[in-house]
């Protein structure tokens, strides 16, 4: 009877062990995970004078107070606006006001712009934003698009000598958005 008990015990252990799943540590040469990165709409523009840095000062030098209109062609040797946004944009322009030198000034209507690679006719700057480039396409990834801005200035007779200053603002919004109001 002892042998029979021993045999039942051994069979019980063998049967119990057979019903358990074996544990294996599987070797894997790789592991994968999905990564998601959400890129937001981003508007990036810059204004450059004669290939200088972004927001570089526009120097219109050696002007005579002779009532004649001076012209500076836009592009790498003049004024240009660059766009590296990831959405289609509308571009606007304005100036802060008259060109001032202390109490002396040159009327803002004497400062004009044209071209913008959109056939923009010669137009006097105003202090309100004006649309100059509509539906400007998105550049290739990592790239930028560049457009020329022609500038014109008439210095009236008897304008006192000195440096006259105004600020030109370029602003962009995603195409179809409301026009900018500031800065």
């Amino acid at each position: 009877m002892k042998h029979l008990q021993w045999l039942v015990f051994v069979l019980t252990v063998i049967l119990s062990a057979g019903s358990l799943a074996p544990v294996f540590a599987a070797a894997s040469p790789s592991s994968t995970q999905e990564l998601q990165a959400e890129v937001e709409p981003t508007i990036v523009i810059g204004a450059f004078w004669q290939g200088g840095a972004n927001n570089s000062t526009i120097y219109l030098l050696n002007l005579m107070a002779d009532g004649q209109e001076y012209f500076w062609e836009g592009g790498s040797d003049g004024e240009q606006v660059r766009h590296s946004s990831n959405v289609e944009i509308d571009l606007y322009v304005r100036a802060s006001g008259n060109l001032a030198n202390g109490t002396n000034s040159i009327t803002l209507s004497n400062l004009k712009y044209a071209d913008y690679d959109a056939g923009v006719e010669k137009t006097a700057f105003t202090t309100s934003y004006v649309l100059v480039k509509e539906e400007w396409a998105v550049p290739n990834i990592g790239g930028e698009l560049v457009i020329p801005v022609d500038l014109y200035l008439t210095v009236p007779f008897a304008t006192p000598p000195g440096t006259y200053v105004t600020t030109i603002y370029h602003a962009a919004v995603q195409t179809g958005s409301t026009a900018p109001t500031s800065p």
Side-chain angles (χ1 to χ4, degrees):
M1 174 101 180
K2 241 182 176 182
H3 287 331
L4 188 56
Q5 286 178 337
W6 177 250
L7 183 60
V8 169
F9 174 74
V10 170
L11 284 175
T12 304
V13 169
I14 290 173
L15 289 174
S16 296
S19 67
L20 296 176
V23 177
F24 294 101
S28 174
S30 67
S31 178
T32 60
Q33 294 175 290
E34 181 178 290
L35 180 134
Q36 295 181 0
E38 184 175 332
V39 177
E40 297 294 321
T42 307
I43 297 176
V44 180
I45 63 167
F48 299 80
W49 174 249
Q50 297 181 335
N54 183 25
N55 298 325
S56 52
T57 300
I58 299 171
Y59 291 106
L60 307 180
L61 304 173
N62 304 318
L63 305 177
M64 303 292 290
D66 57 6
Q68 293 188 39
E69 183 175 77
Y70 291 87
F71 167 69
W72 295 267
E73 185 174 9
S76 60
D77 292 333
E79 177 72 353
Q80 58 184 350
V81 176
R82 299 177 188 173
H83 149 51
S84 54
S85 307
N86 65 359
V87 294
E88 192 174 74
I89 64 170
D90 294 338
L91 182 67
Y92 293 79
V93 69
R94 75 176 185 92
S96 60
N98 293 335
L99 289 83
N101 176 6
T103 59
N104 299 313
S105 67
I106 298 172
T107 305
L108 185 56
S109 61
N110 287 359
L111 179 61
K112 298 177 174 109
Y113 60 85
D115 196 358
Y116 284 95
D117 202 33
V120 172
E121 297 292 323
K122 185 172 24 171
T123 306
F125 277 91
T126 66
T127 56
S128 298
Y129 278 110
V130 176
L131 180 64
V132 289
K133 179 81 172 170
E134 191 172 22
E135 299 175 353
W136 197 358
V138 176
N140 293 329
I141 292 177
E144 67 180 5
L145 297 174
V146 181
I147 55 174
V149 180
D150 295 343
L151 296 173
Y152 304 82
L153 178 63
T154 301
V155 180
F157 287 107
T159 299
T163 302
Y164 290 76
V165 178
T166 191
T167 302
I168 296 173
Y169 297 94
H170 284 98
V173 299
Q174 188 168 353
T175 295
S177 298
T178 305
T181 57
S182 66

